[in-house]
Amino acid sequence: MNEAYMNKFLLVDLNTLTSREIPLSRKMREQYIGGKGFGARLLYDLLAPGTDPLSPDNVLMFMTGPLTGTMAPAMRGCIVTKSPLTHTFLDSYFGGHFAPEIKYAGYDGIIVQGKSDKPVYLWIDDGTLEIRDAAHLWGQDTLESNHAIKKELGDDSVRVVSIGPAGENLVNYALIGCEYNRQAGRGGAGAVMGSKNLKAIAVRGTGIVGINNGSSFISACDKARAELDASPDIDAMKAGGTAGSVDFANETGLLPHKNYSGGTFEKSSKLSDIGQAKHLWLGSSACMGCPIRCSKMGAVRTGKYKGIITDMLEYESAALMGSNLDISDVRAVAHLVKLCDLLGIDSMSTGSVIGFAMELGEKGLIDSPEGVELKFGNIQAAEYLIKTIANQDSDLGRTLAQGVKKAAAIIGKGAKDMAVHVKGMEAPAWGPRGASGMGLAIMTADRGACHQRAFPIAYEVGGVAWKGQQMDPLDTVGKAELVFSLQNYSAGLDTLVKCDFGSFGISGDTYGLLLAAATGQEVGETQFDETGERIWNLTRLFNLREGLDPAEDRLPRRFVSEPLPDGPHKGHRISQEDMDYMKHDYYSQRGWSKKGIPFESTLKRLGVKHNESYTQ
Ligand code: SF4
């Protein structure tokens, strides 16, 4: 049957420098669809319980979805592994053209396990694998290694993912650079890659992705594009990417300022899309098949950083490396974020870690390095910290490379009160004290503090109705049901590895039509909700198996004990009582015990089994 799956994964074992193909079973396709679903099931099955994330036994997977590489809009790829930052399940998404190339080379995903005894990179040329020496690439930044590999292979159209020095040095929040301006940033997948002595993966594919029913698929694509075009938010996204959210977050009091102490920044407009365009933006580019082109490529045109080629900053980086550090010069922020991308560390976690260090420095809880004053607004200090964290060339850099949770434990002196994280992952740029549902979403996300597993803010302060009504942002009633529904649906669609921004306005029904036409599978009305709920329970089982204490389903002290000092929700916090109420309501919605453990009846209903191999 002609269909959009390639029906096999490539598994590379770096211990033995061998590879084999794993067939994709029908059971796996029907129950987990692709992307996050495949990754969650394979991680549970392939990883021995209690595996150290930076040991050779961890697995690193580059997964696609059934629609990746087709003309369906905005389909990308995701990396799944056990995170060194949180020791939980990690899925980290990437755009660009690498994921489609995996499909064109004939695979639904690439799985890497083991560790090479010297630096190597993988060269996958359609069905042929070569494991090549990478000693000469070790130490290069993400772009240098990308260029060098393309030159070495004599083909500029080869698609490459690579790590920078931070990944080589096992920084817990090291990223994987995907082509020129896309990163799988969160959770430290780059450190897992570095721990395997794997510098890069290059892929060239010349195959095609089959479609089961071509005319139905074209109709479904037309419908998806029409829905995307009709979305009220699409023009802003096309014009300025996610940077337009800076003003929205500031107006609603959710913008992090000075290590999340405040929720507004008086100079926020300098960091917004319009503020950035004065200095940065020249033109748009896109991930494969995306009509939105949210990536605003360009160069810094004025000032000290003139000439740096960079993207317009997306919202999270603009906020966490800008307002969160009290830095308003967007050219400097672009420079700092670019440095993170090149050295290979997540600019979100890094912005949070630097804010933490600046606050500790101002309070005298850590010493400033010689010649560098650790204080908010100091661009030179931020640059110093990025370099020393990535290069691991100072005690402070080595401590901060652990992430704020572990760094606070090392520093002591009450530093944990200033460490803003959930389960070890630094918080995103949406301080939740003015939106309690967002607080619940962040504290229950399966990979630690994450705003993308559910985004209730849209219903709390964004003007979108939930079941025909606006939600009170400060009320806790009903937030569990909202978060439960959004998490399930989001995890369900993450099986397609669709972009969160390239999916605005596209309905679940339309995604169902796309999936059915592409694969020939029957797709039910509640397919994505059910699949998402199944995945959410599987990742919970994985996290519990790996030692997660459900008491970690909680917000950092700053959001619980310190009322917001500014903005429309000034004086509000999410109290311990609010947290407990929402958490227990949420566990109940999920069919989990009061201790946060899935009931066997819930697992049975969803067909989630502890011990059943999907890789035979
Ligand atoms: S919206 Fe932006 S990030 Fe998403 S697929 Fe399109 S270009 Fe890529």
Side-chain angles (χ1 to χ4, degrees), residues 74 76 182 286-287 290 292-294 499 501-502:
R76 314 195 302 165
R182 288 288 176 255
C287 305
C290 180
I292 297 180
R293 301 166 66 81
C294 79
C499 174
F501 312 116

Side-chain angles (χ1 to χ4, degrees), residues 477-511:
V477 176
K479 297 299 169 67
E481 186 195 353
L482 174 67
V483 169
F484 166 78
S485 300
L486 295 178
Q487 285 177 342
N488 289 347
Y489 185 64
S490 176
L493 287 188
D494 281 341
T495 61
L496 302 179
V497 212
K498 58 91 189 93
C499 174
D500 284 355
F501 312 116
S503 55
F504 283 2
I506 302 178
S507 67
D509 287 350
T510 302
Y511 279 121

Side-chain angles (χ1 to χ4, degrees), residues 21-41:
E21 290 178 353
I22 298 178
L24 168 61
S25 67
R26 174 166 289 277
K27 184 171 63 174
M28 176 83 117
R29 287 178 3 184
E30 288 173 357
Q31 282 206 295
Y32 292 101
I33 300 178
K36 178 171 185 161
F38 285 177
R41 189 68 243 183

Side-chain angles (χ1 to χ4, degrees), residues 6 63-65 67-70 75-77 94-107 159 203-209 287-289:
M6 313 317 282
M63 288 290 140
T64 69
L67 303 179
T68 305
T70 72
M75 296 296 160
R76 314 195 302 165
F94 58 93
H97 296 74
F98 185 75
E101 203 75 8
I102 293 175
K103 296 276 293 275
Y104 302 150
Y107 301 105
R159 305 300 180 182
V203 180
R204 178 168 59 198
T206 58
I208 55 167
V209 177
C287 305
M288 192 208 140

